[in-house]
Structure formats: structure tokens, C-alpha cells
Amino acid sequence: MIRKNKKALSVLALAASIAVTGFAAPHSHAESGEQTVNWTREQVSKIELNEDNTLPYTDISKLDKMAPGYHIWDTWPLMDRDGNTASVKGWKVIFALSAPNDVLPGKVHDIATIRYFYSKNGKDWTLGGELFPKGTALGQRQWAGSAMLDGDKIHAFYTATGPEGQPQLTYEQRIAAATGTMVADKDGVRFENWDKHRIILLPDGKYYQTVEQAKQGEGGGYAFRDPMWFKDPQTGKEYLLFEGNSGGTASQRQFKPEYAGSAEYLQQHPVPSGAVHANGNIGIAEVVGGDLNNIKLLPPLVEANYVNEELERPHVVVKDKKYYLFTDSHINKYAEGLGGPEGMYGFVSDTLIGGYKPLNGSGLVLANPSDNPYQAYSWLVTPELNVVGFAHFGDLGSMSIGDVGNQSPEFQFSHFGGTLAPTVKLSIDGDRTKIERILPQGWIK
Ligand code: FRU
């Protein structure tokens, strides 16, 4: 990604925009019902690796390959309609993005397919196969999602990336669903009787950027993906959370002081104009009346305008009547002038909609250690506060992740995990989190 424009916005211009917009407005969508909060540059500037948030070094070359013959990465457990980790006849099920293991790590996203695994003990997983019959899923390839079990019906949500049937790969993303039947018996688990896959959510261009808008001078990544089922225990209403980008084109994204933080911070830390390209957000849509064919986009819960361009795989865990909203982001997705680790980040609020504040002051919850900065990624917190992630790239020395693709295939394969990482037990106390301990690889309680 090219970010050459280092010209800082002038303090005068900022002062003018402050005068117009009013200071320290906590929300970025006046018309949104006050629900959208911007993760600020000031909060991000407080990111610090410490023993509560930094993972111990993992030698990823020593991990078991979970799926012989396949690389796997983003993983999610089957949940029931209330969001609990499901167990059917003693079987737990996980789903993972996968690709044959002779595919170079940098190419796996181009041919991602969802496979599932089942286990009695939540530790030793048997590969069940592809989730959907060949040729039935939408998109050129399928990216992350979630799966909810209601009786014996499984509702699978996923990202349909690229238009199916078109040979040229594109980054268009649509949110899709399909409903099937889960069959569990003494031998294992299978899924049958899938109905016709359907697109259930598209970006509106207002709150959520369309791929056409992103093509107009964005320069960064694009996201409308990673649907995650959530039922609010307080209201019983059901939702999908997802990763998006703020709507509009880069040139329409005017700087607002609330993206930076306090007046003092802004005065001392002028915002580079290249930061305009960062527009990650955490989207939410209501499943109206529990009807999976009636899903209504709502304004985002969190935006990271001028802060970060990818807030991946967002999901909520409720604890002590508080809503904990987690998301993953990369070192190279921060806006110009900011930095943070490959990590899992989080926010807390007393309500599902609105009022989110970053956990631990900065938002950082889990980080890879600085001597192995890419060892794991794509973490997901279960209701039991077990954090499941995958082993990514290990022992790269000082190489940046962007350089891995220039190395020999042997180097790339031997430094790539492509399997589940050790599970992490998290503890939460109010707005503070802590790594409690490290559990076995791929362990789901
Ligand atoms: C995170 C991610 C997801 C996406 C998938 C594509 O690792 O970028 O947001 O669905 O990988 O492979």
C-alpha cells in the first residue's frame, strides 16, 4: 500500500474544522442515533505491550498440523441461537477457512473454502470435509463467517468474495447465508439438505463502503465481510456483526477532531493527510423479528476513521452484563503516524448498541511478542473466554510480512503455520483484560 503523502493537516485547518463541528463530540454520526464511536488516534497512541497482553513466543514449526493436506486459518465454533458454544450428542464442531497445503500461503485467500471439524474433547479434531457441496456456495471463494444451530438446523453465514462464475479475481464482498441440517451420530457429524444460498447483506454506500467507492482513490484494503451471529441477552433481539469500511470515497472523508481525541492531543500530534485512507469499521445489522430473510443494516458500532483500515472478525461476548466487542487488526493497517501490533483489540459498553470505550485504555487486548510479531492472528473469543487463533508466520527475523511472498516456496512453507495456535485463556475485570494462561493448541471448551 502506498502512503507517500506525509503532509500534515495544518493546525489552522484543524482549528477551523473544530470551530464548525464542535469539540470532543463523542460520536461520528450525528444522524445515527448516537451509536457510532470512533476509536481515536489518542487512544491508539497509548498502545503498549506488557505481560497482561503479550503472548509468549510460540515455535510454530512444532505445532501439529490440524488438517493433514490443508492449511487452515480463520476458525469459528458452532454456536447455539443464544451464542453458547454448541455441543450435539457430545460433539463440538468448528469451521475453518482452508486451502490445499501445496498452495503458497499468500495465495490461500484466493481459493478459500470452508471445511468443518468435529471433536468430543474439544482438542482432537477430525476433519469432516467441505461444509457445502461443491459448487453451491456463492462467491469465487468463501471468507470468514459464523454458524448457528437452531434445533437440528444449521444457519451458516459467510462472506461471498468475488462474483461467482467470473474468472478474474475481485475483492467485492457480500454477506451470504445458507440453512442445512446437522446430523450427529456415534461416528461423527455431517451436514445435509442445504437450501439455496442467498445474499443477505450488501453495503449501502452510506455507513458501509461499496467496492466501487473504495476503488476511487482509497489505496488501502476493502472489507464487507466476516458476519458473526449475536443475540442480545437483554432484549432477545438478534444481530449480525461484520467488518466494514466507512461509507463514501476517500475524498469525501473529511477529518473530524473526534478522530484524533482531545484538543491537547490534536494540538501536539498533527494528523498526516495520508491518514484519510484508514476507514475500518465494525458494522451491525438487525435480524428483524428473528427472520433471517429480513436483515436491516444499522450504523456502525465503532469506526476507526484516520486510525485503522481493518477491524476484522468483530464479535461480542457478554460478561457481568457488559458487552465486550473484540476485533483483530494488523501492524500494517494503522493509519499514517500510528502503530500497533498484530493483535486482538476490544471495547466495552453497558449496551450492545452504542457507548463503546476501548479496553485497557488503548483497546489492545492480545499482541504477538515483538520477537515473533506474526506468530498468530484472527483471534476469536468464545463465551468461556477462550481465545482461538491460528498460527500465521513464525521466526521471520526482521523481515516484514510483505516480503515473505518474495522468498522461496520452501521458506514460505516452513515459516507458515496454517494450523490452530495454542488457545489463550483471557480474564476480564471491568474495562481491563489479562492473559490468564496458555491452553493446548486449538482447544475449545
Ligand atoms: C482475517 C481475514 C478475514 C477474512 C479472511 C480471508 O484473517 O482477513 O477478515 O474473512 O481472513 O481469508
Side-chain angles (χ1 to χ4, degrees):
M1 189 177 330
I2 303 155
R3 294 284 166 72
K4 291 235 167 77
N5 191 348
K6 300 253 183 240
K7 190 169 58 97
L9 295 176
S10 82
V11 174
L12 269 182
L14 287 177
S17 87
I18 290 162
V20 174
T21 55
F23 232 152
H27 309 299
S28 59
H29 282 293
E31 77 277 44
S32 75
E34 304 254 298
Q35 80 176 51
T36 308
V37 174
N38 209 84
W39 188 22
T40 69
R41 294 178 67 90
E42 184 172 15
Q43 289 157 351
V44 164
S45 74
K46 296 185 189 139
I47 288 177
E48 219 169 54
L49 269 60
N50 59 37
E51 60 176 24
D52 289 342
N53 61 29
T54 307
L55 292 165
Y57 167 87
T58 306
D59 183 350
I60 68 167
S61 68
K62 299 238 159 69
L63 295 175
D64 288 340
K65 296 288 183 188
M66 280 228 357
Y70 296 98
H71 299 305
I72 60 161
W73 61 106
D74 294 14
T75 299
W76 54 97
L78 179 66
M79 59 175 115
D80 68 18
R81 195 147 188 150
D82 293 327
N84 306 304
T85 307
S87 173
V88 179
K89 300 211 168 115
W91 294 112
K92 293 181 184 63
V93 183
I94 54 174
F95 306 85
L97 299 186
S98 63
N101 67 0
D102 57 354
V103 174
L104 284 172
K107 295 282 176 216
V108 296
H109 309 281
D110 298 348
I111 55 159
T113 304
I114 303 171
R115 288 187 162 77
Y116 73 96
F117 301 78
Y118 51 85
S119 168
K120 281 262 159 142
N121 63 8
K123 213 161 52 165
D124 304 305
W125 297 96
T126 303
L127 176 60
E130 289 191 27
L131 176 60
F132 304 125
K134 270 208 186 327
T136 59
L138 298 172
Q140 293 167 324
R141 62 255 197 229
Q142 292 74 47
W143 286 359
S146 55
M148 178 269 279
L149 188 71
D150 191 5
D152 67 347
K153 292 276 166 268
I154 173 180
H155 300 287
F157 306 99
Y158 64 93
T159 312
T161 304
E164 53 277 358
Q166 192 176 300
Q168 179 91 24
L169 283 187
T170 84
Y171 288 87
E172 176 208 47
Q173 292 152 51
R174 299 164 295 158
I175 292 178
T179 298
T181 306
M182 173 168 166
V183 182
D185 57 27
K186 64 175 184 16
D187 299 326
V189 169
R190 59 187 195 276
F191 298 100
E192 310 178 334
N193 296 326
W194 290 102
D195 65 357
K196 196 166 158 34
H197 291 230
R198 55 207 185 273
I199 297 298
I200 54 169
L201 270 180
L202 292 170
D204 59 354
K206 179 183 177 200
Y207 295 123
Y208 303 103
Q209 194 174 46
T210 62
V211 75
E212 290 75 26
Q213 291 173 332
K215 279 183 198 150
Q216 293 173 48
E218 199 58 83
Y222 173 70
F224 188 77
R225 62 175 181 257
D226 301 354
M228 178 56 68
W229 177 262
F230 180 73
K231 181 170 183 174
D232 185 345
Q234 274 187 41
T235 63
K237 287 189 183 177
E238 297 173 318
Y239 299 89
L240 286 170
L241 297 164
F242 57 90
E243 172 188 357
N245 288 127
S246 302
T249 62
S251 62
Q252 291 165 340
R253 192 172 313 124
Q254 280 187 3
F255 178 78
K256 295 182 186 171
E258 70 216 49
Y259 299 160
S262 69
E264 298 72 35
Y265 177 83
L266 181 51
Q267 235 153 32
Q268 285 157 23
H269 303 88
V271 180
S273 57
V276 67
H277 297 289
N279 64 329
N281 76 17
I282 296 181
I284 183 165
E286 187 180 337
V287 181
V288 180
D291 177 358
L292 289 168
N293 294 312
N294 185 5
I295 303 189
K296 189 175 121 204
L297 279 179
L298 301 175
L301 298 178
V302 172
E303 289 182 321
N305 293 322
Y306 287 71
V307 172
N308 188 301
E309 66 186 52
E310 272 192 6
L311 303 182
E312 307 209 272
R313 304 195 64 204
H315 55 286
V316 168
V317 169
V318 179
K319 182 177 178 285
D320 301 333
K321 299 204 170 140
K322 288 191 189 302
Y323 295 77
Y324 291 91
L325 172 59
F326 296 102
T327 185
D328 302 313
S329 196
H330 293 287
I331 293 175
N332 62 0
K333 298 298 175 184
Y334 279 93
E336 195 175 321
L338 294 178
E342 295 283 296
M344 185 176 80
Y345 297 83
F347 303 84
V348 57
S349 175
D350 291 330
T351 52
L352 171 66
I353 311 255
Y356 283 95
K357 296 205 165 53
L359 289 165
N360 308 311
S362 68
L364 181 62
V365 173
L366 275 195
N368 285 328
S370 43
D371 60 351
N372 209 17
Y374 302 103
Q375 70 177 27
Y377 190 64
S378 212
W379 297 273
L380 184 87
V381 186
T382 70
E384 299 81 21
L385 304 187
N386 293 323
V387 190
V388 183
F390 80 96
H392 199 193
F393 284 108
D395 297 316
L396 291 181
S398 56
M399 188 183 294
S400 87
I401 202 160
D403 263 350
V404 176
N406 302 324
Q407 311 303 311
S408 67
E410 294 71 36
F411 180 96
Q412 295 184 47
F413 287 127
S414 64
H415 289 76
F416 184 61
T419 187
L420 288 184
T423 295
V424 182
K425 182 83 198 174
L426 197 68
S427 69
I428 303 183
D429 181 11
D431 62 0
R432 300 272 138 189
T433 64
K434 189 170 166 347
I435 295 174
E436 214 40 62
R437 58 185 185 280
I438 305 300
L439 298 167
Q441 185 189 350
W443 197 73
I444 291 189
K445 192 174 144 32

